[in-house]
Amino acid sequence: MKISANKKVKGGSKLPGRIKNSIPGWLLILPSILIFILVTWRPIVMAFGYSFFKLKGFEATEFVGLKNFIDVLTDTNFLKTLGNTALYVVWSIIIGFPLPFIVAVFTNEMVHTKGFFKVTTYLPVVIPSVATCLIWRMVYSDGSGGFLNMVLYFFGLGPVGWLSNARLTIPLIILAMTWNGFGSTMILYLASLQSVDQSLYEAARLDGAGVFSRVKNVLLPHMSGILFLNAIRQIIAVFQITEQPLVMTGGGPNGASMSLGLTNYFYAFRYGQLDKSMALGVITFILLIGLTYIYFKFDKKIND
């Protein structure tokens, strides 16, 4: 009985020691936890709460239940805006998703100037998003001042209203976004390509397989997991698009480039309807939570 009692004392004395040893670690991560709570979760919780109230500024004046959500969902422009956001996602998959992989494959195949090409393709990433939008707005500018129209004038062709064309607006904005951001994804793909079993790659080369055959039979099976995860990440990111249409078109022409994020911005800062802004933010948050759940589910399945 004495021996067992001593064992209990020894076993029980380990817990305070473990707590004492973990204190430095908790102190190190405490600032990050506080910032995460104050900057990320506190606004989310407040938005959920405020979305059920009528707001005067940031002061809740009256509980209205689901009225704000009903007003947002029954707005005549909501379905159009949701459709535009879906179009942003579709065009980002068409334009922005394959480009980093294609550039990574060709860079991986290079023998000379590979380092220079990696640096030059990554440079647009360091340009702030708003600055990129301003640059591309000048490229797409109507009249003789836009770069694309200057090229058309050189070949004797008339000017084109690039961003004033409702059918071209979203693809052109996505093209600007792709130029700004594809370099970082390309570097990620290139790093993954470096881990491909070179013996398989060389064997395919010796068997006479061309570039497209090697990509199909060697690279794609190896890269399928990261390609799929990046596709979901891209969908989540593009679904929140706000500053690009704000800077380049202001949501025009006739709402053709409006997105959920830009509508939320207008509710809050143009129309002063903070309660609707909160409700739309909650709706967008729920949609993104669903996409994020799909991402983590497939991420776990691929990594396992």
Side-chain angles (χ1 to χ4, degrees), residues 27-144:
L27 290 176
L28 286 173
I29 66 171
L30 184 61
S32 299
I33 293 174
L34 291 175
I35 291 173
F36 184 77
I37 292 172
L38 293 174
V39 176
T40 303
W41 281 107
R42 181 174 174 270
I44 292 174
V45 173
M46 289 178 64
F48 267 91
Y50 280 143
S51 64
F52 296 101
F53 288 86
K54 182 178 180 180
L55 300 179
K56 186 176 181 180
F58 283 97
E59 182 182 353
T61 59
E62 180 185 352
F63 180 79
V64 294
L66 298 175
K67 183 179 182 300
N68 292 327
F69 294 93
I70 294 171
D71 289 343
V72 169
L73 293 173
T74 56
D75 191 316
T76 55
N77 293 318
F78 177 77
L79 290 179
K80 182 180 179 181
T81 303
L82 183 61
N84 288 343
T85 306
L87 279 177
Y88 277 112
V89 172
V90 171
W91 277 108
S92 74
I93 296 298
I94 295 172
I95 298 174
F97 178 66
L99 184 62
F101 179 70
I102 293 170
V103 174
V105 170
F106 279 103
T107 305
N108 192 54
E109 292 285 329
M110 286 182 176
V111 178
H112 305 290
T113 68
K114 183 184 291 189
F116 172 78
F117 194 75
K118 284 192 290 187
V119 172
T120 53
T121 52
Y122 187 78
L123 278 177
V125 178
V126 304
I127 302 176
S129 177
V130 173
T132 298
C133 295
L134 292 172
I135 292 170
W136 281 88
R137 190 175 69 178
M138 289 188 289
V139 171
Y140 297 141
S141 179
D142 295 346
S144 59

Side-chain angles (χ1 to χ4, degrees), residues 288-299:
L288 290 174
I289 284 292
L291 292 172
T292 305
Y293 173 77
I294 294 172
Y295 171 79
F296 281 113
K297 187 172 183 179
F298 279 99
D299 180 48

Side-chain angles (χ1 to χ4, degrees), residues 177-199:
M177 288 180 62
T178 301
W179 180 84
N180 184 218
F182 88 96
S184 57
T185 308
M186 186 273 290
I187 294 296
L188 181 66
Y189 287 153
L190 191 59
S192 183
L193 288 172
Q194 302 297 317
S195 65
V196 174
D197 189 347
Q198 294 300 311
S199 62

